[in-house]
Amino acid sequence: MQMPQSIPGCPPGLEYFTQLDQVLVHQQIELFEVLTSIETKNRFVIKNSLGQQCYYAYEESGLCMRICCGPNRGFVMHVVDNAGREVIRMTREFKCCAGCCWCANNNHCAFHITVESPVGTHIGTIKQAQSCWIPNYTILDENDKAIFKIEGPCCVCQGPCCTCDFPFNIKTIDGAETTVGSVTKQWSGLGREMFTDATNFSVTFPKDLDVKLKAVLLGATFLIDIMFFERNNN
């Protein structure tokens, strides 16, 4: 995708988002991981609806953290544009006993990702929210004000007998709870699903949404992926 011109008030590198109402997030298959079942650093190609690459994301984490902690590990996700410039940084801290939806009202028990753009400037947070069963997340802006919530499906187990897509709906924080988009885990094919944990996601949002919030919703994709769709083979 051709790089747009700079826009006043828009964080450098996020100009792509002004033209988009959908991004496709495709995780790359790691051959070493397939052969050894040792978790490697995740890498993702981020494309527009036409399949043109607009961003590339790669994980920074320690080997021991990936082996011993699996999907609960802490990590930093670097998002770079086509010129190799880091435009977004997403950070999740390691929490030993986090992830249970029943206890997610406590900050020590809830996973969250902070998003920066440019690096060093906080623009939002994705925080796991308390629920009885279905996955729930709250999207906070740069002032820690709740803007959206994300509700997932009751079951997120894909397999040979369940080849459907799994939508995590993005809803407004009001009485109406209007659905404005989704983070959807797409079926990737039997071979890819059975022998790898490489995932494909589609993220939709209003085209006129603030580019900072679009970047935060992209961060929600990585949190959902690692919590529900990354196997712990260890």
Side-chain angles (χ1 to χ4, degrees):
M1 183 175 177
Q2 186 175 2
M3 182 179 296
Q5 295 181 347
S6 60
I7 300 173
C10 177
L14 299 192
E15 295 88 356
Y16 285 120
F17 278 121
T18 62
Q19 306 176 13
L20 303 175
D21 60 3
Q22 180 187 38
V23 291
L24 306 176
V25 183
H26 293 171
Q27 184 175 354
Q28 296 185 317
I29 296 175
E30 304 290 346
L31 183 60
F32 179 80
E33 182 176 321
V34 174
L35 296 176
T36 65
S37 294
I38 297 175
E39 185 65 37
T40 59
K41 298 177 183 179
N42 291 329
R43 298 182 297 165
F44 301 86
V45 177
I46 303 167
K47 308 174 183 179
N48 62 16
S49 58
L50 299 177
Q52 298 171 319
Q53 179 176 324
C54 45
Y55 296 107
Y56 180 82
Y58 62 93
E59 175 188 350
E60 177 187 348
S61 60
L63 176 62
C64 289
M65 183 73 73
R66 294 195 303 276
I67 292 176
C68 299
C69 304
N72 295 327
R73 67 183 179 272
F75 63 85
V76 176
M77 191 68 69
H78 303 275
V79 181
V80 299
D81 61 15
N82 289 331
R85 175 182 55 171
E86 185 176 8
V87 296
I88 308 171
R89 180 174 293 180
M90 306 168 183
T91 305
R92 187 180 86 164
E93 297 179 353
F94 168 71
K95 294 183 179 180
C96 183
C97 300
C100 176
C101 59
W102 296 345
C103 306
N105 60 324
N106 187 312
N107 284 332
H108 297 290
C109 299
F111 282 124
H112 70 274
I113 286 183
T114 58
V115 184
E116 302 173 4
S117 182
V119 176
T121 302
H122 176 74
I123 62 169
T125 305
I126 310 100
K127 183 179 179 182
Q128 183 187 9
Q130 186 182 33
S131 66
C132 294
W133 183 256
I134 64 174
N136 262 287
Y137 301 90
T138 302
I139 304 299
L140 309 173
D141 66 8
E142 55 194 320
N143 300 313
D144 290 332
K145 177 184 177 182
I147 304 298
F148 298 116
K149 69 176 184 178
I150 297 178
E151 290 185 352
C154 293
C155 175
V156 290
C157 297
Q158 280 185 327
C161 299
C162 186
T163 60
C164 60
D165 294 343
F166 292 121
F168 290 72
N169 293 318
I170 304 168
K171 299 183 178 182
T172 55
I173 301 289
D174 55 25
E177 296 189 359
T178 305
T179 299
V180 297
S182 68
V183 177
T184 303
K185 165 65 171 63
Q186 298 176 322
W187 172 254
S188 303
L190 183 61
R192 188 183 180 104
E193 295 286 347
M194 291 294 293
F195 298 105
T196 78
D197 62 6
T199 51
N200 290 336
F201 281 88
S202 169
V203 188
T204 58
F205 35 65
K207 190 173 184 178
D208 59 353
L209 185 66
D210 187 340
V211 293
K212 297 178 183 178
L213 289 174
K214 291 182 180 181
V216 176
L217 291 173
L218 175 63
T221 307
F222 299 124
L223 182 56
I224 291 170
D225 175 49
I226 198 168
M227 286 186 66
F228 294 102
F229 301 104
E230 183 162 304
R231 301 173 189 162
N232 185 359
N233 294 318
N234 305 291

